[in-house]
Amino acid sequence: GAVVSQHPSRVICKSGTSVKIECRSLDFQATTMFWYRQFPKQSLMLMATSNEGSKATYEQGVEKDKFLINHASLTLSTLTVTSAHPEDSSFYICSASPTGMDGYTFGSGTRLTVV
Amino acid sequence: QQQVKQSPQSLIVQKGGISIINCAYENTAFDYFPWYQQFPGKGPALLIAIRPDVSEKKEGRFTISFNKSAKQFSLHIMDSQPGDSATYFCAPVGNQFYFGTGTSLTVIP
């Protein structure tokens, strides 16, 4: 089946530094990938839609300068949390659809802790 | 406007019992109705999904019931097992993609 690989699974960084999270589709090409943020015991909140070869589309309220998204190839999207602060600590998850619609495959998530 | 309403928020079921989770939606443009299962510290995984041209779909112990006129669909877990303890999300898809608020299921031995 379709696999989306996300790395790292956990990262701890100091306040003010930047962190990059990678999302790879291993056995299919993904022109579109999605990035979510999830707080404890809450649902997934869509942050942005990553489009291969073009700019990402951000949801309302998401700072595009803080959460930089790059989708340089059909199998890789990256999310960089710039100048991270403790309030950016969260669980970040990416997803993509092998068919371009309908059922989505999710990465295993990245637990970011900013100290 | 809240597009997707999921209930209950939490559910405790005895092993062997039936777990039922409901999802109500507003957008009639949705044309694919999946349920996702998420374990702590992991990303969601597609569990089962249905299209609006059928009213029910069964895969093993998991069944989706779909009521188009009521704009509702539900997940039934038969013979619930402790390993089913997880958070379940409905996430109907159409021109947009919405996640339900989630249901925390605990199956007690």
Side-chain angles (χ1 to χ4, degrees), chain B residues 48-83:
Chain B
I48 187 171
I50 199 169
R51 294 198 181 276
D53 54 344
V54 296
S55 60
E56 186 174 283
K57 181 177 181 181
K58 183 177 181 180
E59 291 182 356
R61 296 185 294 109
F62 302 94
T63 300
I64 289 184
S65 296
F66 179 71
N67 187 329
K68 187 174 182 178
S69 61
K71 293 190 286 185
Q72 294 180 347
F73 64 110
S74 60
L75 173 68
H76 296 236
I77 305 174
M78 312 300 287
D79 187 26
S80 299
Q81 299 296 312

Side-chain angles (χ1 to χ4, degrees), chain A residues 36 38 43 102-104 106-107, chain B residues 32 36 38 43-44 51 97 99-100:
Chain A
Y36 299 85
Q38 187 178 33
S43 187
D102 299 346
Y104 290 81
F106 287 81
Chain B
Y32 183 75
Y36 289 88
Q38 184 181 28
R51 294 198 181 276
F97 183 14
F99 265 90

Side-chain angles (χ1 to χ4, degrees), chain A residues 7-101:
Chain A
H7 293 281
S9 58
R10 291 177 179 270
V11 58
I12 301 173
C13 71
K14 291 185 176 181
S15 185
T17 62
S18 295
V19 173
K20 180 183 285 188
I21 303 170
E22 290 190 349
C23 182
R24 294 180 184 273
S25 56
L26 295 187
D27 47 4
F28 66 98
Q29 294 183 332
T31 55
T32 303
M33 290 185 176
F34 301 90
W35 288 95
Y36 299 85
R37 185 173 181 176
Q38 187 178 33
F39 292 104
K41 299 188 183 300
Q42 293 190 23
S43 187
L44 282 72
M45 181 185 74
L46 179 64
M47 298 175 64
T49 302
S50 171
N51 304 296
E52 188 269 335
S54 65
K55 292 183 178 180
T57 303
Y58 291 82
E59 295 299 303
Q60 189 174 4
V62 177
E63 299 176 60
K64 61 181 181 180
D65 295 330
K66 166 167 275 295
F67 300 100
L68 298 179
I69 291 174
N70 183 278
H71 195 152
S73 77
L74 287 170
T75 59
L76 174 64
S77 176
T78 60
L79 168 68
T80 301
V81 183
T82 63
S83 186
H85 291 283
E87 57 265 30
D88 299 324
S89 298
S90 192
F91 192 55
Y92 294 88
I93 309 171
C94 66
S95 77
S97 172
T99 60
M101 56 183 178

